[in-house]
Amino acid sequence: MWDQILQFLITGVTVGATYALVALGFAIIYNASDVVNFAQGEFVMIGAMTAIALSAGDGGLPLPLALIGAVLITIAVGILLQRFAIAPARGASVVTTIIITIGASIFLRGVALLVWGKDIFAMPHFSGEIPLHIGNATLLPQNLWVMGGAALLVMGVHYFFNHTIIGKAILACSCNRTAAHLVGINVGLMMLVAYGLSAFLGAMAGILVAPITFTSYDAGVMLGLKGFSAAILGGMGNPMGAVAGGLALGLIESLAAGLISSGYKDAIGFIILLLVLFIRPSGMFGKVSAERV
Amino acid sequence: MPSDTPLLKVDELSSHYGPIQALFGVSLEVKQGELVAIVGANGAGKTTLLHTLSGVQKASGGQVFLDTREITKQKPHKIVAAGVCHVPEGRQVFAPLSVDDNLRLGAYALRKEKEWVEQELDNIYTLFPILNEKSAQSAGTLSGGQQQMLAIGRALLGRPRLLLLDEPSMGLAPLLVEEIFRVIQSLNDQGVTILLVEQNARAALGIANRGYVLETGKVVLSAGADELLKDEAVRRAYLGY
Ligand SMILES: Nc1ncnc2c1ncn2[C@@H]1O[C@H](COP(=O)(O)OP(=O)(O)OP(=O)(O)O)[C@@H](O)[C@H]1O
Ligand SMILES: [Mg+2]
């Protein structure tokens, strides 16, 4: 029994780390531009799929190079999304921008379908598939890559927003755009940085977890929704809350799937989302405020 | 001391909010070293004028020159980098960020000049000791007067050649108003060129070299500050006696 629960916890933290990165991407974009970016999940898919495509076959790049290439391509997609879909709609209502990002996600998925078809792809594990044992529970080296990678990325993001002038400039844009202009911040550029950073986090999530979960052109849909749920759970616009929300969601899902039934795994996430929206719309860690609707 | 070179030259500047015109061909000049006041009632277009100078509001006609360089269609961050620093109406500090971060963001365009920034930060903390005391607190927790000092300090960290001040006395207790105006005066004495917008015409004209009167988006009068203070129409409309 305890071994089993340990196993569920390992799975939960791994999945939760992925959700956390996606949720962090949601929070960063929401903070910078008041946009809920429903194309966030597509960043994950694009990261994983391009990494696989770049490394596959005889002419493929060595894995590290393929990963770097995939990350750069995903960042470019994030920047293009901001520049050509979000920026022109500056000042539009929240609903309008949500429709735009949903449209963008459908478009990106369509392109992925055209390029890669409906096949399911696997990526090689970074450092082999020999499991490690903790008691009777097992752990793949890739699980450690996911957890460690996510932890490093979260710390990096925390450092960026708390200890660098560019990070603070992005925060300044989100709390007072006019004043940000007036102190000489290039607000348009900061938006590109925020979207690029979110795309980077999405790509990293996709790349880290792809060897474990397999991936296909529509893998971003579910991950995007889970990341969104986690971001809501943590209080939209609270980056570290989003991370906690992601870990919590991953753990709850994994325990529910193991202890109740795996059929309920996805439902659990959305039940939690609805409950949070009903009971505490500002999230577990969000400040209670009526300002942002 | 004021010299004859115009640092800022505004020529027939117009601006619209959608179909509504707010500025109707405003022309004015600020010479190097001057302190110039713009007075006008509620809704006269004072804030719109400053916003247009800073590039956060589009000009629909006319030109703005800094020295001889046209800055009319420049992006706001380029205008700041050229040395036009703006203390906005209502302070507009970055409320969740610390006092120190707010000040450092004022030097955003100069972030590579680390030594200069640290030196100027010291100067600001000496000028406003209360900001030093509260440097780690979030700006939103400061009182109105302290936020005004922060907004001024933040603009000074942009190393202004021209400082734009939008109603710095708004909502402050009389004693604080006096202190803020003393600071503005002493900045000007140290050589900072200042364009000061105020509804508090008496206090503004009291420290200014020259003044312009703005009414519904037009300059209706311009003269030396002392003359304006004595002007019959100005006294009736803006000084209340
Ligand atoms: N965002 C806006 N949209 C539409 N009209 C605006 C906007 N901002 C200002 N106006 C209008 O433009 C005119 C000038 O306003 P502005 O704020 O520049 O005046 P002001 O002189 O700064 O007034 P105050 O002393 O109240 O600050 C007013 O008629 C105002 O109603
Ligand atoms: Mg105003």
Side-chain angles (χ1 to χ4, degrees), chain A residues 118-144:
Chain A
K118 293 188 172 178
D119 294 340
I120 291 172
F121 295 87
M123 187 149 85
H125 288 237
F126 293 1
S127 40
E129 297 177 49
I130 301 163
L132 314 162
H133 295 273
I134 307 174
N136 284 327
T138 60
L139 180 71
L140 290 167
Q142 193 68 32
N143 287 82
L144 293 177

Side-chain angles (χ1 to χ4, degrees), chain A residues 161-162 164-190 287, chain B residues 51 54 56 76-77 80-81 84-88 91-97 101-102 104-109 111 154:
Chain A
F161 282 111
N162 287 282
T164 72
I165 190 81
I166 306 275
K168 285 172 186 174
I170 294 177
L171 295 178
C173 295
S174 74
C175 59
N176 191 327
R177 213 177 168 92
T178 303
H181 279 298
L182 293 181
V183 297
I185 294 168
N186 183 344
V187 175
L189 181 64
M190 290 305 115
K287 285 190 208 77
Chain B
H51 275 172
S54 283
V56 292
H77 67 273
V80 175
V84 179
C85 301
H86 191 142
V87 182
R91 358 264 185 231
Q92 317 273 346
V93 297
F94 302 116
L97 300 181
D101 284 345
N102 269 267
R104 285 173 188 280
L105 282 168
Y108 185 78
R111 61 194 181 280
R154 184 177 68 179

Side-chain angles (χ1 to χ4, degrees), chain A residues 19 53 109 136 176 266:
Chain A
Y19 295 167
R109 215 177 307 140
N136 284 327
N176 191 327
D266 290 333

